[in-house]
Amino acid sequence: MSEIAVILPDGTELAVPEDATLQDVAYEIGPGLGDDTVAGKIEGELVDKETPVSEGDRIEIVTDQSDEYLDVLRHSAAHVFAQALLRLHDDAKLTIGPWTDEGFYYDITGVDLDEDDLQDIENEMQEIVDEDYDIERTTYSRDEAVAKYEGENPYKLDILDREAADADEISFYEQAEFEDLCRGPHVESTGQIGAFKLLNISSSYWRGDEENDTLTRVHGTAFEKESQLEEFLDMREEAKERDHRKLGQELDLFSIPTVTGPGLPLYHPNGKAILRELESFGEAMNDEYGYDYVETPHLFRTELWKQSGHYDNYVDDMFLLDVNDEEYGLKPMNCPGHATIFNERSWSYRDLPVRYAENGKVYRKEQRGELSGLSRVWAFTIDDGHIFARPEQIESEVDDIMDMIYEVLETFDLDYEVQLATRPEKSVGSDEIWEKAESQLESVLENSKMDYDLEAGDGAFYGPKIDFAFSDALGRKWDGPTVQLDFNMPERFDLTYTGADNEDHRPVMIHRALYGSFERFFMVLIEHFNGKFPLWLAPEQVRILPISDDELGYAHRLKNDLEDNDFRVDIEDRSWTLGRKIREAQTDRVPYMVIVGGDEVEDGTISVRDRKEREAQDVAPGEFVDHLIDERADKREEPDFLA
C-alpha cells in the first residue's frame, strides 16, 4: 500500500499508510499512545480519532492528559444532557450541542423549560453517567441519515444540507437508546464524565440569525473531578461580582440605554477618563515606533467596500444607507481608508515602511441576541495600525508589533496565548498569495521560538494572522491584540512603490491592533481589576476628606496642588461623618483618600489612607505628590507607599 507523510508536533515527518486514521498514526508512534488515544487534531481542528489523515497534515494526538481532553468530555456531556432531556420530554427537538470554553450548551425546541426543570434533568443525567454506557461512532449513508430526520427535525436536515451535502458517509454517535448526528469527538463511555452541572437557560436563534426560529439554549459544564467543578462554580460566583455591566453601572463608567439603541454604548466621564488613558498609552507607543496618525470618516460609498472585498464578506453585518440613490455604508473596518490614503501619492522603496495609526470607530451589525455589554456591540473603536512595507521588511515590522503587544499585556498583567490563524473557508485571494502570507507569519513565530497554537480556518478573509488571547484574573480567555499579513488588499487597490530597479513593486500590508478594540479591552480591565484600577487608570485618583467645613480651604489648596500635577481629584464636602466618607470612597474604589482635620491644617500635613485600608499620618503633601508621580509613571497596580 502507498504511504503518505504526516507532520508531528515537533515538526518531524512520519510515514503512514495512505488510508491511516489518527489512531493509526498514534499506534505508529507507539502502542501505548495508540491505546490511550481519545481524539486528535488535524491542522489545529479537534476531530474524532477515526478521522483519516492526508498527505502533509499537521497532527496532534489527544489523550486524557491533553488540554483538549476537557473539550471532548464536555462534548459528551452535551450528549448526556440531550439523552436525559428526551427521556423526560420525548417531544423535544435537538439542534446543535457543542462544547465551549466554559462547558457546553444544547439548543432545543419543542418543549418549554425553565430553571426549575434543570434539577430533574440533572438527576436523569446522573443515572446515565452511573450506567456507564459505551459511546460508539457509527456511520450511515446520506440517504439513511436524511430518512432519520425527514418530517421530524428540520434543523438536523438543515445541517445535512449545508454541512454534509457532498458526504457519502454521515457520522452518528450512540449511547444506549440515544443517537445523534455528530462529527465527534467523544470519550469512550458516559461514566468518564466525572462531574457536571446545568447552569442556566437562555434563548438563541437558529444559525444565529434573528430572522430564524427562536430556540431554547441550555448551558452546562462538566469536569473530570468534583473538586474541579466546585472550583469552577466558585469562580463563576466571583465572575458575577466582577461583571463589567454591574460594575459599569456602580462606578458610573458607561451605559447602553434602550432609547439610544442596542450595542451602542455611552461613555460617562469616569469611563472616558479611563479610555483617554488607554488612548494616550497606545499613542505613546505609536510615536515611539514611528506611526503617523490619520483619520477617516465613519461613512464611505460602498464602491470602496466592493473594491476592498469587505462588501462581499461583510455585507450582512454592515449598516447600509441610501443617499440620493447611491449606496453608502458605515465602515466595518478602517483598512480600506488607510489603503486609499497610501494610494494618494507615489512612493519610493526608500520611503517604506509607511505606518499609519487611527483610533477608528467601526460598526458591525451583530445579531441582537448576541449583544452583551461591551463584549459584543454594534459600534466600537479599534486602535488600528496599518503598515505598508517591502517584503523583506515583514519580519522586523512584525517583531516590533510583537514587542508593542507584549508591553500592553505585561503592563496590565494579563496572561496570554498565541495562535496562528490560517485561511478561512470564506476568503479572497489566490492560493499562492495565501500560502506566501501564512509561511511569512509562521517563519516569524518559529524564529522567535514562541509557543503557539495553529488555529486552522480562523484567519481574516484577506489574510492569515497572529492572534493573542489574553486571560483575565478569573482565567477566562478573550480575543485581544492581533497582527495580520495582507497580500490581497494591495492587489485590490493596486498599491505600488518604485523599487531600486525603477520598476513598480507591490507592498505588503500589515494590519495590527494592540488592544483589539477599546470596548472589549475596557470590559476585560473592569473585570480583571474588579473596578480597582491602578492609579494611572483610575477615573478618580485621590479623594480629599475634610473632617469638617473648617478644613475646606486647606482641602482646596491640596486639590489645586494635585491638579497642577495632572491628577484627578475630588473633595468630599457633604455633611457626612468621616466614617461614612471613607466607606463611600471605598465603595467607589478610589485608590487614595487624603484625610484632613484641625491637626493636619495646623501642621501642614495630611493623613493618607488607601483602598486596602492602610494608613499613614503626618505625611508631607510634597512627599505624597512625589510618590503619586512615581506610581503613575511606573503604572504599578500595587503601590508601596503605605506598605
Side-chain angles (χ1 to χ4, degrees), residues 412 529 532-538 591 611 631 635-637:
F412 296 100
F529 292 120
K532 298 175 183 177
F533 299 103
L535 178 72
W536 72 282
L537 276 183
R611 61 190 169 202
E631 184 179 336
K635 295 180 170 57
R636 296 174 302 201
E637 182 192 357

Side-chain angles (χ1 to χ4, degrees), residues 527-589:
E527 299 189 0
H528 181 67
F529 292 120
N530 195 18
K532 298 175 183 177
F533 299 103
L535 178 72
W536 72 282
L537 276 183
E540 183 184 354
Q541 296 165 319
V542 179
R543 186 175 297 180
I544 302 173
L545 312 181
I547 293 177
S548 70
D549 289 350
D550 294 340
E551 291 82 42
L552 279 175
Y554 185 53
H556 279 282
R557 292 195 296 274
L558 293 170
K559 181 174 185 285
N560 292 339
D561 289 343
L562 288 163
E563 288 181 337
D564 286 345
N565 286 280
D566 296 322
F567 288 103
R568 295 182 286 275
V569 188
D570 200 2
I571 296 175
E572 179 55 85
D573 57 4
R574 285 174 285 192
S575 299
W576 288 353
T577 64
L578 178 61
R580 184 175 179 184
K581 291 179 179 182
I582 290 173
R583 288 193 298 274
E584 185 74 7
Q586 290 282 144
T587 299
D588 292 341
R589 294 164 167 81

Side-chain angles (χ1 to χ4, degrees), residues 100-113:
T100 67
D101 288 342
E102 292 194 338
F104 64 86
Y105 69 80
Y106 217 116
D107 285 348
I108 62 170
T109 188
V111 58
D112 290 328
L113 294 180

Side-chain angles (χ1 to χ4, degrees), residues 346-550:
S346 300
W347 299 93
S348 163
Y349 71 96
R350 297 186 183 90
D351 299 320
L352 272 56
V354 172
R355 307 180 188 95
Y356 294 147
E358 177 183 15
N359 294 329
K361 184 77 75 177
V362 298
Y363 303 86
R364 298 182 193 169
K365 190 170 58 177
E366 301 275 4
Q367 297 296 330
R368 288 175 184 250
E370 296 177 352
L371 299 175
S372 177
L374 297 179
S375 64
R376 299 292 291 270
V377 291
W378 276 354
F380 57 97
T381 304
I382 301 175
D383 62 315
D384 241 333
H386 292 100
I387 301 169
F388 303 89
R390 305 194 305 270
E392 65 269 23
Q393 295 171 322
I394 289 175
E395 187 163 347
S396 63
E397 289 300 310
V398 173
D399 282 341
D400 283 348
I401 294 169
M402 294 291 208
D403 288 342
M404 297 170 79
I405 291 172
Y406 292 153
E407 186 172 347
V408 169
L409 295 172
E410 290 173 5
T411 296
F412 296 100
D413 193 28
L414 293 166
D415 295 328
Y416 58 88
E417 296 176 356
V418 185
Q419 297 94 27
L420 172 60
T422 58
R423 187 175 191 173
E425 184 176 340
K426 196 174 184 181
S427 63
V428 292
S430 69
D431 292 344
E432 180 183 0
I433 287 174
W434 272 89
E435 288 169 6
K436 185 177 181 181
E438 288 174 358
S439 66
Q440 290 276 9
L441 286 188
E442 186 174 11
S443 176
V444 169
L445 290 170
E446 291 293 338
N447 291 339
S448 70
K449 309 298 182 185
M450 184 185 304
D451 292 332
Y452 68 93
D453 294 323
L454 182 66
E455 297 293 334
D458 277 355
F461 78 91
Y462 49 75
K465 57 182 179 174
I466 298 172
D467 281 335
F468 286 73
F470 41 67
S471 300
D472 62 17
L474 298 178
R476 297 168 301 180
K477 292 181 174 55
W478 302 96
D479 293 337
T482 185
V483 51
Q484 307 172 4
L485 284 192
D486 188 347
F487 289 85
N488 173 65
M489 197 169 295
E491 291 278 352
R492 299 181 76 97
F493 281 82
D494 195 24
L495 305 182
T496 61
Y497 65 92
T498 303
D501 58 2
N502 212 34
E503 298 290 331
D504 283 347
H505 295 267
R506 192 76 71 199
V508 178
M509 189 173 181
I510 304 174
H511 308 248
R512 55 110 272 213
L514 305 180
Y515 299 136
S517 78
F518 281 96
E519 280 69 18
R520 180 167 288 181
F521 195 72
F522 190 18
M523 175 209 72
V524 170
L525 293 184
I526 293 170
E527 299 189 0
H528 181 67
F529 292 120
N530 195 18
K532 298 175 183 177
F533 299 103
L535 178 72
W536 72 282
L537 276 183
E540 183 184 354
Q541 296 165 319
V542 179
R543 186 175 297 180
I544 302 173
L545 312 181
I547 293 177
S548 70
D549 289 350
D550 294 340

